[in-house]
Each structure stands twice: as structure tokens, then as C-alpha cells.
Amino acid sequence: MKRISRISSMLLLPAILLAAWLLSGCSPARHVPEGKYLLDDVKINLNDSTGRLDQQQLMTYVRMQPNHKMLWATKFRLGIYNMSGNDSTKWWNRWVRKLGEAPVIFDSTATMTDAGQLRKAMVNAGFLDATVSVDTFADRNKRKMKVEYNLHAGMPHIIRSVNYEFPNDTLRSLIMKDSARFTVRPGDPLDISLLETQRELLTTRLRSNGYYAFGKEFITFNADTTEGSHDVDLTMTVKPAYPSDSPNHLIDTHKEYIVRNVYYIMDYDPGVTEDFRHYQAADTVNYKDITILYGDKRYLRPSLLYDNCFIRSGEAYNLHDVNNTYTALGRLTILKFINIRFIPAGNFNDFGLLDAYILLTRGKSQSFSAELEGTNSEGDLGVAAGVSYSHRNIGKGSETLTAKLRGAYESLSGNLSGLIHDRYLELGAEAGVNFPKFKAPFLRESFKRRIKATTELNVSMNYQERPEYTRIISTAGWSYKWSERFNRTRHTFTPIDINYVYLPESTNDFLNEIAPDNPLLRYSYEDHFIMRMGYSFYHSNKRHETPWSRSFQKNIYTVRVNAEVAGNLLFALSSILSHRSDFHSQPYKMFGIHYSQYAKIDGDFSFLHLFDTRNSLACRFGAGVGVPYGNSAVLPFEKRFYGGGANGVRGWDVRTLGPGRYPGTNSVSDFINQCGDIRLDLSVEYRAKLFWILEGALFVDAGNIWTIRNYPNQPGGMFRFNSFYKEIAAAYGVGLRLDFNYFLLRFDMGMKAHNPALGQEPWPLIHPDWHRDRSFHFSIGYPF
């Protein structure tokens, strides 16, 4: 036993899986007490002639579920649990039970409770005459129990008419002015979720039109049914406010309120400040129509606080303004906690008055970190060190400054005669400033407030010194990022991004040795200059579940699009200042460096279908094209597409597929050639949660890359409409994932199925070779 305890759990995994598979089928009731039954299967038989009910959704109301089946067939987790003995004090039994899943024991009381929940769900959906019966099938020899719920929905009750009752004409006018958006209409079933949605809708509408204290409990529905009929006359009633002598009458719930004053309390501490209305400020500032109560320092500018507050003095209370204020202030990284409170402040004519208190608690403004590492590469010793600094309020506008410095040194051994240096030295610095505001001229303040964009400025410089060359890489960029409601749609606009590579010195024959006839590889070690403008778009339909709905979203899609252009402005200036007709052979230069000119767009569409909470099918379609023109004959190497890898066609290692039929045979020498201007990716992947943190996957990938022109060093790589479909590579494989909730480790093994490369086996699917056709991948996160 002591020897077994020393064996790594990872080495035991294959044996555990085999034993679990055997035990899951041979003795699943091993740990079921005598006289009890293992719940083996639960089934719903739904009789619904209308097709309105979802059988899978109804299953979510059944709390007593059997042990999970992997791939809908084998109860692996139960099998793992059954590998344990009865002595819970032994480490092996405790560890295996933690990995596995205890047997689910049949409980007749829980079964009847679930039957009641199923009937209640059908009644809530409008099937008031629904009935549920339960059949149980016991296997006494194997001590298993199967349960079947027989659901007879009957005919749904349909809303024939909708009437409305209001306590006054003001509420009637406000609620009925946009009745086309009501979720409850004649002809709909008497569905409780529709009624609840309408209550939420109307409550939000009223609270966005001054009715600060109105709650959805004042909206009720009364259904009038007739015996023998399934027609329903529905009455929606808005109840009057609580009477003045009621203990619930703390504020007039049916009165419109106007904001009188807006106060900022900048250093609110709920553990110290008993009543924020009596906050003792060290400094008071009146800015426009807001009052700011500072503590020991003015750590945020009054103009910033005003711009991020949508609650305005003299305007009616509006719930949307409150939510927008929360969102805007939440982008200020210096703030730790935000709370908005409203206090009644008397009456003005027929309106109530409110004082708004915005309570802010600031967090730490600065942080510092350092790291140190050592390296040993085949006897070459090296050391690297880095420091990072962050300031979350550098200009009293919650601007976030980040700065990093890094240095690395390695002593190189061997015969280095004739080379410039006998060492590797790298020095790097980068800095960025994040502004929680749309920093741009000529834009109206109302537009900036509505967009709520974040502005980012980033610069970096990297100095590399090697025996073969010295290289300096510099970048600078300015971008805007903003998102729409619930973060389901995101935008990034980069008006300018500059990438500059400069080689002040290199060995005389370095480029001639590594790439005598390869312009793509030479490009990586030559001076170049890219000034681009780009835009990125992201959208997903993943929704927030409502609290009264048990259904999960079955279908989720995601769209990503990236577009960029480069060199157009520089080319226009060059043409004006130094016009020439032979710029293809003698391209224009900026600061003595040939700059790139191109347009590029690529995108991905992914679709996820959830069979249930543990099984899903994911699909992905991706495509892209980049076109060099004007001052460039080829796309910059870092802007070209590549095939294969953990997120591509997984039967190939990264950058070993394509372009087209190009027969890349050496991953080192062909690395620079296996890139292109057009890409196509298609993938289908089945995902299943196994046990513990393990997930499994089966996948099929297809795709390739192509060049847009016929480059001599990439024969067979050009895209042609009449033959490209023959050059689509295909692969299949299996994957294992470790889901730690906050991140996911992915291991995939892909096998080639169709190889379009010249001189290669075209159909490895028919004649597979393990050493030739397999590829292993390790990555973080799902491939799409």
C-alpha cells in the first residue's frame, strides 16, 4: 500500500478508466444499501398535441437524476466511486470517491415531489388541466430502478381578451402609450413567464419615468375561466398605492419624483460612516449641478465625476440613468466600491423630491512587482529580470498607467570568430495609458457619454543583440474600445498603429547564408515600417437567464471580424512629394525604410449547440483574405495567415500546412514559406464532460491557406476558384481537457485524413501512418 501511494495519480489514470468502465457495467449497485435501489434511468413521456412544451426543458424540473452517463452510455463516475472500499479512513477510498460520483438512491418521496414540480411547470405554461403519473420498474436482482413520468398536457388555456384596470388616468396613459411591446396578447397561452415578463417591463418603464418607489408587486393578473372552456379573459390590474396609515407606507409609491440635489461622497466607509447624510467633508466643491464632498484629497477631478454621472438635478428620476451611472463609474479603476442611494426630500407641487447620494470608496492607486529568472541552454548560462509598475489614477481622472522594463543576458559559447558579439542581450521597455473616456477632438460630448469608450495609448521598444545581428523593434498605437449592453457586442477601433523594425548592424553574409533567394525570410531581418488602421467587432447571442426561468440556452453563436488597412496615407503623401511611375521596382520609403501597403479582413463564426449540461456540439467557419498593393508586392510576414496548429487543422503542426499544394517537408527551412494571403477553416467538435475536471472531445477539421499571387518560392500555393476545393486539407482526432473553471488546459491529438501537398500520401485516412500523420497539441482554452 505504501508503494502504491507513491505512484502519481496521472500514471494511474488509464488503469482507473479501465477499472471504472468494468465496474460501471458489472457492479453498479456495489455501494447501494440493502433494501434500496440504484436509480438507473429517468424518462419523461410527454403527450402534448400542441408542441408548445419542451421535453428537455421539463427534465430540468426533475431533481432526482440518475448518475451521469458518459457519451449517454457508461456511468464512468459511478464506476470510479465503486472502486473504493467501505473503509472511509483509507486514503485510496477517500481519493477515488472524490474523483467519482456516489450512487443515486431511488427515493419514492422525492419522485412524487418531482412529479408535482412537473405538473406545476405545465400549469405555469398554460396547461391548467395537465396531469402527471409515475411508473417505476424495479430490477430486484441488479437492485436497479427505472422511473418514467407520464405527462398528459391536455389543451392549453388561451387568452381570449386582455382588460386593464388603473388607479388613475396618469398611470393609464403612461403604461398604454406603448402597448405594442406588451408580452401578453390575445391568442397567447396563459404562460406565467409571459405575465412575469410584462410585470418587469412595466415596472422598468414606470421607474424610468419618475416613479422611483414603484414595485412590480402592484401589478397583478386575474384570469377568468369558464368551466368546459379553455378561453381565458385576463385582467391586468395596477393596484393603488398603500394608504397613508399603512405600516408599508414609507414613501408614495405612485408619485413621480424629481431629483433635487446630486451629492458625491468620495471617501465613504460603511464601517465608519453611520449616516452618509451627515458625512464630514474636508473639502466641498460645487461643480455645475453636482456637489462633491472630498475627504483628505481631491483624487478625482470634478469634471470627470460630472461626465460619468447621468443623474441630473431638476430631471425626473430615471432607472436607466442610475444604471448608466453605475456602468460609467465602474470603468474607473481607482474605485473599489460604488453605491447610489436616494433619500426623499419633501414635495414640490404634485411631484416628490429626491436627493441622490453617490457613495464611492477608492482602492489602492499604485502597485509594483519584480521577477528574476535564470536559464541554461546547452551550457549557455543566462539571466533575465523584469519590473512592472502600475498607477490607477495618474492624472486624477482614473487613468491607468502601466510600465514594464525587462532585460536578459546570455553568454554564448562556441566558435564565434568573425561575428560581431559573443552574447545575446535583450532590453525591453513598454508603457501604456488607459483613459476611461473617448479621447478624440471634434466629437460632441453627448456622443462620448453615450458610447462610453475607453482610450488606450501604448508604446514599446525592444533592443536585441545577437552574434549575427542587432535589431530594434518599436511599436506605438492608439485605440478605442467600447461595448454595448451586457457586453454581448464589443468594438475596437485603432486609428493608428505603428510597427518599426530597424537593424543597425549585422554580419556581412548573415542574410545571404540564411535566405539567399527567399524574400520572405529576408524581410524578417530587414528594416520595415508598418502604419495601419484597424477595426475589430465581436458579437454573441449568449443571454442572461431570467430568475423565473429554468431553461438553459441551447444554441449560442459568436461572430468575430477584424479588418485593417496600411500604408494608404503614406502612399498618398509619397505620391505628392515624390511621384514616380516605377514604385513597384523602387518602392517608396519613409525615413529611409520601405513601408507596407495592404488591406486585410478575416472573421470567424462559431456555433455551440448544447444537448444538455454535459454534452455539446461546436462548429466553426472562418475565412480571411489579405491583399498587398501599391507600395507592396507581398504582405508583411507577421500579417500573413498560417495553417495547422492547435486552433487550425489539428492534423498538422503549426505552420506546416499549405499554402495550397505546397510540399513543405522541413519545418525549419519551410517555416517562412508556409504562410499565405487567404485562409479557410471549418471545424466540428463534440464535447463531453467526463468526470472530475476532465472533458473529452472528438473533432473533424478542414481548411488550408493560399497565396493571392504566384510566388516562385511557394509553388502550388496560389488560390484558384476551379481547384481550391481539391486542396482543402482534412483531419480528425480526439482531445482531453482539464477544466479548472477559471482556465482550461487542452490536449488534442489530430490525424491527417486528406493531405493536398504534392508528393504526399493524398488520403492518409485510408492508409494511416502513426509517425507521419499524427500531431499533438497543447493549448489553453477551447479552439473556438
Side-chain angles (χ1 to χ4, degrees):
M1 180 61 66
K2 292 182 179 179
R3 186 176 181 181
I4 293 177
S5 65
R6 298 190 188 100
I7 301 176
S8 169
S9 60
M10 294 300 294
L11 297 178
L12 286 176
L13 184 58
I16 291 176
L17 292 175
L18 178 61
W21 179 72
L22 294 173
L23 287 173
S24 64
C26 298
S27 56
R30 180 180 180 183
H31 288 290
V32 176
E34 289 295 330
K36 301 292 184 178
Y37 290 91
L38 173 71
L39 182 62
D40 185 54
D41 189 32
V42 173
K43 182 180 179 181
I44 288 180
N45 299 316
L46 177 60
N47 182 4
D48 174 23
S49 59
T50 67
R52 294 179 181 270
L53 295 174
D54 187 332
Q55 184 168 326
Q56 188 172 359
Q57 180 178 344
L58 287 170
M59 184 62 79
T60 62
Y61 291 88
V62 179
R63 307 292 299 192
M64 192 176 67
Q65 295 281 356
N67 293 94
H68 167 64
K69 292 183 179 179
M70 189 179 73
L71 301 178
W72 298 288
T74 306
K75 298 179 180 179
F76 256 71
R77 294 191 66 191
L78 175 61
I80 292 175
Y81 187 94
N82 287 339
M83 292 173 60
S84 66
N86 294 324
D87 188 353
S88 60
T89 62
K90 296 182 178 180
W91 76 268
W92 168 262
N93 294 335
R94 295 197 308 271
W95 182 69
V96 171
R97 289 188 177 190
K98 185 177 180 179
L99 291 181
E101 182 183 46
V104 178
I105 309 300
F106 169 75
D107 186 337
S108 59
T109 302
T111 300
M112 298 311 299
T113 300
D114 288 343
Q117 290 296 318
L118 287 170
R119 184 183 181 280
K120 182 179 179 180
M122 291 190 290
V123 170
N124 288 342
F127 295 84
L128 305 187
D129 300 327
T131 60
V132 178
S133 62
V134 182
D135 291 331
T136 57
F137 304 90
D139 186 335
R140 299 184 183 277
N141 294 327
K142 296 182 178 181
R143 292 192 295 161
K144 294 182 179 180
M145 181 73 73
K146 294 184 179 180
V147 179
E148 291 188 4
Y149 296 94
N150 304 304
L151 279 59
H152 298 273
M155 295 302 296
H157 280 63
I158 304 297
I159 299 173
R160 180 172 60 185
S161 64
V162 183
N163 299 308
Y164 302 92
E165 296 180 352
F166 303 95
N168 56 63
D169 292 337
T170 302
L171 284 176
R172 175 187 292 274
S173 176
L174 183 59
I175 290 175
M176 298 301 295
K177 70 177 182 180
D178 196 10
S179 59
R181 296 184 59 191
F182 286 180
T183 59
V184 178
R185 302 183 182 91
D188 290 338
L190 187 63
D191 192 328
I192 296 298
S193 65
L194 296 178
L195 305 184
E196 185 65 25
T197 300
Q198 180 143 320
R199 294 177 72 203
E200 293 282 350
L201 171 69
L202 297 181
T203 302
T204 301
R205 180 181 299 175
L206 290 171
R207 299 197 67 196
S208 299
N209 284 273
Y211 288 81
Y212 156 73
F214 189 89
K216 67 178 182 179
E217 66 272 12
F218 289 98
I219 302 176
T220 62
F221 289 93
N222 181 52
D224 186 7
T225 61
T226 304
E227 186 177 357
S229 173
H230 290 84
D231 292 332
V232 178
D233 294 320
L234 190 67
T235 301
M236 189 193 83
T237 302
V238 179
K239 298 190 294 184
Y242 295 123
S244 58
D245 58 349
S246 170
N248 294 323
H249 182 72
L250 302 177
I251 188 174
D252 194 338
T253 56
H254 287 41
K255 175 181 286 189
E256 295 180 67
Y257 282 84
I258 294 176
V259 177
R260 185 180 68 170
N261 298 310
V262 179
Y263 297 97
Y264 269 101
I265 297 181
M266 300 302 295
D267 286 293
Y268 176 70
D269 187 348
V272 176
T273 307
E274 296 182 359
D275 189 348
F276 56 83
R277 290 174 293 180
H278 299 99
Y279 176 78
Q280 297 297 320
D283 186 11
T284 301
V285 175
N286 293 307
Y287 183 84
K288 296 185 178 180
D289 59 353
I290 64 174
T291 301
I292 307 169
L293 307 178
Y294 286 104
D296 57 347
K297 62 173 61 177
R298 299 187 183 184
Y299 66 91
L300 287 176
R301 298 190 302 270
S303 60
L304 176 78
L305 297 171
Y306 180 82
D307 290 341
N308 285 279
C309 178
F310 291 79
I311 305 168
R312 289 288 177 255
S313 175
E315 295 183 0
Y317 170 86
N318 190 321
L319 180 62
H320 292 306
D321 292 342
V322 177
N323 292 334
N324 285 334
T325 302
Y326 270 116
T327 301
L329 292 174
R331 299 187 304 122
L332 306 183
T333 55
I334 187 62
L335 298 179
K336 186 177 181 180
F337 297 112
I338 304 165
N339 192 9
I340 302 177
R341 300 283 299 275
F342 289 88
I343 302 299
N347 298 309
F348 177 75
N349 294 333
D350 294 331
F351 298 93
L353 297 176
L354 293 173
D355 285 337
Y357 290 84
I358 303 176
L359 315 177
L360 307 180
T361 304
R362 73 177 135 161
K364 294 182 179 180
S365 61
Q366 301 182 64
S367 61
F368 177 85
S369 63
E371 59 181 10
L372 179 67
E373 61 181 89
T375 61
N376 184 351
S377 177
E378 298 181 354
D380 296 335
L381 301 179
V383 63
V387 294
S388 300
Y389 172 76
S390 176
H391 196 303
R392 298 179 181 85
N393 195 30
I394 192 67
K396 295 186 177 181
S398 195
E399 303 92 347
T400 301
L401 169 68
T402 57
K404 297 179 181 179
L405 295 174
R406 188 180 187 276
Y409 177 87
E410 183 176 347
S411 177
L412 302 179
S413 59
N415 183 10
L416 302 176
S417 60
L419 298 181
I420 298 175
H421 308 287
D422 60 353
R423 65 187 183 187
Y424 168 66
L425 176 66
E426 180 179 356
L427 300 174
E430 59 180 281
V433 181
N434 183 300
F435 302 90
K437 186 177 181 180
F438 206 131
K439 290 282 188 180
F442 313 117
L443 293 178
R444 292 180 300 178
E445 286 298 322
S446 59
F447 174 80
K448 296 180 181 180
R449 285 164 54 83
R450 185 172 69 253
I451 293 297
K452 300 188 197 66
T454 296
T455 305
E456 296 183 0
L457 170 64
N458 296 283
V459 294
S460 69
M461 178 173 288
N462 185 268
Y463 173 85
Q464 301 172 356
E465 184 180 291
R466 290 190 57 87
E468 304 90 352
Y469 62 85
T470 298
R471 180 165 59 175
I472 299 174
I473 303 174
S474 301
T475 64
W478 183 275
S479 61
Y480 303 100
K481 296 181 179 180
W482 69 96
S483 60
E484 298 178 21
R485 194 177 183 186
F486 301 129
N487 209 31
R488 291 169 60 177
T489 302
R490 298 195 290 268
H491 309 264
T492 300
F493 173 58
T494 304
I496 184 170
D497 181 81
I498 298 174
N499 180 266
Y500 170 73
V501 177
Y502 171 60
L503 278 80
E505 57 180 343
S506 64
T507 57
N508 295 330
D509 57 352
F510 170 60
L511 291 178
N512 293 329
E513 287 182 0
I514 65 169
D517 301 312
N518 191 330
L520 292 177
L521 184 54
R522 294 181 70 92
Y523 171 84
S524 299
Y525 293 94
E526 292 179 343
D527 301 343
H528 64 275
F529 185 88
I530 301 175
M531 188 172 75
R532 71 177 189 94
M533 177 174 64
Y535 170 75
S536 298
F537 172 82
Y538 167 91
H539 175 73
S540 175
N541 73 328
K542 189 173 183 179
R543 65 173 183 260
H544 293 262
E545 296 294 337
T546 54
W548 56 87
S549 173
R550 285 173 174 261
S551 64
F552 65 96
Q553 191 172 359
K554 295 181 181 179
N555 300 311
I556 301 172
Y557 70 82
T558 301
V559 179
R560 296 180 179 88
V561 179
N562 300 287
E564 60 183 274
V565 294
N568 291 342
L569 178 60
L570 296 178
F571 186 81
L573 293 175
S574 299
S575 300
I576 295 173
L577 299 176
S578 178
H579 178 71
R580 63 172 72 131
S581 58
D582 59 343
F583 59 84
H584 291 291
S585 58
Q586 294 182 347
Y588 292 118
K589 295 183 178 181
M590 179 63 63
F591 307 118
I593 300 175
H594 170 210
Y595 59 83
S596 300
Q597 189 175 10
Y598 64 88
K600 177 183 175 183
I601 183 170
D602 69 289
D604 290 274
F605 174 81
S606 60
F607 178 81
L608 178 66
H609 175 74
L610 301 173
F611 297 105
D612 51 46
T613 57
R614 304 188 68 88
N615 299 274
S616 61
L617 183 70
C619 306
R620 186 263 303 266
F621 170 78
V625 60
V627 181
Y629 59 91
N631 209 49
S632 296
V634 62
L635 281 177
F637 174 72
E638 61 268 32
K639 298 298 180 180
R640 304 191 89 193
F641 301 111
Y642 60 87
N647 297 322
V649 183
R650 283 166 279 183
W652 282 259
D653 292 339
V654 63
R655 295 186 183 273
T656 60
L657 171 62
R661 304 183 66 192
Y662 178 77
T665 56
N666 189 304
S667 60
V668 177
S669 61
D670 287 325
F671 175 86
I672 196 70
N673 291 324
Q674 298 201 266
C675 55
D677 313 311
I678 299 173
R679 79 170 176 98
L680 178 66
D681 291 299
L682 303 111
S683 296
V684 177
E685 181 173 282
Y686 166 74
R687 300 167 182 170
K689 295 184 183 297
L690 303 180
F691 64 93
W692 190 37
I693 61 173
L694 296 181
E695 294 185 12
L698 302 173
F699 60 83
V700 176
D701 298 328
N704 206 337
I705 57 172
W706 293 267
T707 61
I708 203 167
R709 295 171 184 162
N710 190 14
Y711 298 112
N713 57 307
Q714 294 176 299
M718 185 175 176
F719 180 89
R720 292 180 173 85
F721 280 102
N722 61 351
S723 61
F724 83 93
Y725 61 91
K726 300 178 183 179
E727 300 165 356
I728 296 178
Y732 61 94
V734 298
L736 182 67
R737 290 84 193 271
L738 305 179
D739 187 358
F740 295 97
N741 292 326
Y742 47 92
F743 74 98
L744 180 139
L745 296 180
R746 174 163 57 96
F747 304 87
D748 288 335
M749 184 196 73
M751 294 288 293
K752 296 179 177 67
H754 175 238
N755 190 349
L758 294 170
Q760 304 291 322
E761 170 61 43
W763 291 102
L765 178 65
I766 302 175
H767 304 288
D769 183 288
W770 174 258
H771 297 286
R772 178 194 66 194
D773 301 326
R774 60 99 177 98
S775 180
F776 290 101
H777 305 280
F778 168 73
S779 186
I780 296 177
Y782 289 113
F784 50 89

